[in-house]
């Protein structure tokens, strides 16, 4: 369990490690803000492609072969970053990173659930957030205070991935191999019947909270530089760090709460945090007060992120069989990474060709709020349907289903 959780932490840590470095790359290579969001978004596209192709593979061939291969590809991505001397090389590293992460996250999550369903469910929510936070923090500190800022953090991660690959070779397999490996690599959105309604409820909220992560990851460094008039990479990575730490704390504090309690908390804090963030950007004076408001908004939004992510996983995963877990988890991550990548790329285009940083941030935040309200609507409607079904007899329940159909 500890090994699998550590791999999830290191994978998400490596994905967020470039965030504080974007300003350094931009200074060295002279690219525009839109290039930053493309580099950010191409990772999400690679993850999505890999999830669709390899997301269910570990259900057929076992968790261990998928994880060893993913760790080797992740190590190659670190080599690409270490030797990168252009935007093209940076994009190649992000593609390798994304392909590796997409293949691994479903296998890791399903493997932890195979070992212990309760602890696995908690770690599936907690580990990615701690990985995001640790990646941003470690990268920022290394870039700010240690030599070879664009290489050292990747060298450290390379060593971690090699050690983890060796450890996985000694890991006991948690599922038996079965036929259909090649068929599992054909992209499809086939869902177990038991998971369809929960995913309909969870998907809008998980899309919204990961869109929020895209806001702080892609635009956070530029917003912080504007508010604080500072070029420090530590300040640039701080918004995503605050969001991830707050989300992780929410996962710990709400780990025993029911999804009926968790999801409304997520939606309300998400909306409140984004509103505070937008007010700080739009009405602030560009000094300390607006910066404080921005980070307070990030912290409150983080509660919504953590509780929404955990609530979505707990709403869906317990309803499926062990041989369906990797596929269902991969589908949830597809929703998450579409939310992470697509709005961020659109935001980069709008920053350059639209209304600039402030207006784009306001539009992005408003879109997140609309998504959160859509999730609330779906949650309320599904709750009312459940209550109606509980109050009807079997004959009446069938009649309700026919009328709804």
């Amino acid at each position: 369990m500890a090994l699998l959780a550590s791999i999830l932490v290191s994978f998400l840590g490596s994905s967020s490690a470039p965030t504080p470095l974007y300003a350094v790359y931009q200074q060295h290579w002279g690219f525009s803000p839109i290039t930053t969001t493309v580099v950010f978004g191409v990772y999400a596209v690679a993850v999505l492609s890999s999830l669709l192709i390899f997301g269910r593979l570990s259900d057929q061939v076992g968790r261990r072969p998928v994880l060893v291969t993913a760790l080797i590809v992740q190590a190659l991505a670190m080599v690409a970053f270490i030797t990168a001397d252009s935007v093209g090389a940076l994009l190649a590293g992000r593609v390798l990173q994304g392909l590796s992460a997409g293949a691994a996250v479903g296998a890791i999550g399903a493997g932890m659930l195979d070992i212990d369903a309760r602890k696995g469910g908690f770690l599936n929510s907690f580990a990615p957030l701690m990985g995001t936070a640790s990646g941003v923090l470690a990268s920022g500190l290394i870039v700010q205070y240690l030599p070879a800022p664009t290489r050292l953090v990747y060298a450290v991660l390379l060593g971690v991935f090699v050690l983890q690959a060796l450890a996985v070779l000694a890991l006991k397999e948690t599922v038996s191999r079965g036929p259909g490996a090649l068929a599992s690599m054909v992209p499809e959105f086939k869902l177990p019947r038991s998971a369809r309604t929960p995913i309909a409820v969870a998907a809008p909220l998980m899309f919204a909270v990961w869109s929020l992560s895209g806001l702080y990851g892609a635009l956070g460094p530029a917003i912080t530089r504007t508010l604080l008039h500072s070029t420090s990479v530590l300040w640039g990575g701080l918004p995503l760090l605050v969001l991830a730490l707050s989300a992780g704390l929410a996962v710990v504090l709400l780990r025993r709460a029911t999804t009926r309690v968790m999801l409304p908390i997520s939606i309300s804090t998400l909306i409140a945090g984004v509103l505070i963030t937008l007010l700080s950007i739009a009405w602030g004076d560009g000094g300390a007060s607006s910066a404080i408001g921005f980070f307070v908004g990030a912290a409150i939004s983080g509660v919504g992120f953590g509780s929404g992510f955990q609530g979505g996983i707990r709403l869906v995963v317990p309803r499926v069989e062990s041989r369906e877990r990797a596929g269902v988890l991969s589908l949830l991550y597809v929703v998450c990474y579409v939310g992470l990548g697509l709005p961020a790329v659109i935001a980069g285009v709008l920053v350059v060709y639209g209304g600039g940083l402030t207006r784009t941030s306001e539009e992005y935040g408003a879109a997140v709020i609309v998504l959160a309200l859509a999730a609330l609507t779906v949650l309320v409607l599904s709750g009312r349907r459940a209550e109606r079904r509980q109050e009807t007899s079997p004959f009446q329940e069938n009649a309700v289903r026919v009328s709804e159909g």
Side-chain angles (χ1 to χ4, degrees):
M1 182 75 80
L3 173 61
L4 291 173
S6 75
I7 296 172
L8 197 53
V9 168
S10 62
F11 270 47
L12 272 294
S14 72
S15 73
S16 63
T19 300
L21 285 165
Y22 288 145
V24 179
Y25 291 134
Q26 190 172 6
Q27 182 180 2
H28 288 176
W29 301 331
F31 54 76
S32 69
I34 192 172
T35 304
T36 301
T37 54
V38 168
V39 172
F40 188 88
V42 75
Y43 168 78
V45 173
V47 172
L48 287 172
S49 303
S50 185
L51 282 168
L52 291 172
I53 298 171
F54 305 114
R56 296 179 295 143
L57 185 60
S58 75
D59 287 335
Q60 310 301 325
V61 304
R63 316 299 186 203
R64 189 168 59 179
V66 173
L67 290 179
V68 171
T69 304
L71 284 161
I72 292 172
V73 175
Q74 190 75 221
L76 292 175
M78 297 304 103
V79 174
F81 285 131
I82 291 170
T83 59
D85 57 0
S86 66
V87 174
L90 192 61
L91 289 171
R94 290 296 272 175
V95 169
L96 287 173
Q97 219 179 13
L99 292 174
S100 170
V105 289
I108 295 169
M112 291 193 293
L113 290 166
D114 294 339
I115 297 169
D116 187 311
R118 185 180 62 84
K119 292 181 180 178
F122 168 73
L123 288 172
N124 266 299
S125 307
F126 184 71
L129 302 173
M130 290 303 96
T132 301
S134 61
V136 171
L137 180 61
S139 180
L141 291 172
I142 288 173
V143 171
Q144 189 72 38
Y145 299 113
L146 294 179
T150 60
R151 295 181 175 85
L152 183 56
V153 64
Y154 301 123
V156 172
L157 286 167
L158 173 61
V160 170
F161 293 132
V162 171
L163 291 175
Q164 288 175 333
L166 294 174
V168 169
L169 292 174
L171 194 66
K172 183 184 293 186
E173 186 57 73
T174 58
V175 293
S176 57
R177 295 188 180 186
L182 290 177
S184 73
M185 295 170 63
V186 178
E188 63 176 354
F189 290 96
K190 183 179 179 181
L191 278 175
R193 184 177 295 274
S194 59
R196 292 175 187 175
T197 299
I199 282 185
V201 176
L205 182 57
M206 296 184 83
F207 188 98
V209 298
W210 281 77
S211 296
L212 180 71
S213 175
L215 170 64
Y216 289 102
L219 300 182
I223 294 171
T224 306
R225 285 196 300 271
T226 300
L227 294 177
L228 294 176
H229 307 292
S230 171
T231 58
S232 169
V233 294
L234 281 176
W235 285 112
L238 193 57
L240 188 57
L241 175 64
V242 170
L243 180 79
L245 288 176
S246 176
L249 181 62
V251 169
V252 173
L253 295 178
L254 295 172
R255 66 188 182 279
R256 292 187 175 88
T258 64
T259 54
R260 185 182 292 270
V261 171
M262 201 177 300
L263 297 182
I265 289 175
S266 171
I267 294 169
S268 59
T269 52
L270 187 68
I271 292 173
V274 172
L275 285 173
I276 292 172
T277 297
L278 295 182
L279 289 174
S280 301
I281 295 171
W283 295 349
D285 57 3
S289 59
S290 56
I292 291 171
F294 177 68
F295 289 119
V296 168
I300 296 173
S301 299
V303 175
F305 184 4
S307 54
F309 186 41
Q310 179 175 214
I313 289 177
R314 284 175 49 181
L315 186 66
V316 176
V317 173
R319 299 173 184 263
V320 300
E321 301 295 331
S322 60
R323 278 201 166 276
E324 300 167 330
R325 285 173 180 164
V328 170
L329 272 171
S330 296
L331 181 58
L332 288 176
Y333 274 107
V334 166
V335 174
C336 294
Y337 277 97
V338 170
L340 176 70
L342 182 61
V345 173
I346 293 173
V349 174
L350 292 176
V351 167
V352 177
Y353 300 108
L357 179 62
T358 299
R359 184 172 177 180
T360 300
S361 301
E362 293 170 350
E363 293 168 347
Y364 197 134
V368 171
I369 292 173
V370 170
L371 288 169
L373 292 174
L376 178 62
T377 302
V378 174
L379 183 63
V380 170
L381 291 176
S382 65
R384 288 178 178 176
R385 287 175 182 171
E387 290 174 359
R388 285 164 56 192
R389 286 170 182 159
Q390 289 175 355
E391 291 171 357
T392 60
S393 66
F395 176 79
Q396 291 171 317
E397 183 174 342
N398 288 334
V400 169
R401 287 175 178 168
V402 169
S403 66
E404 288 178 348

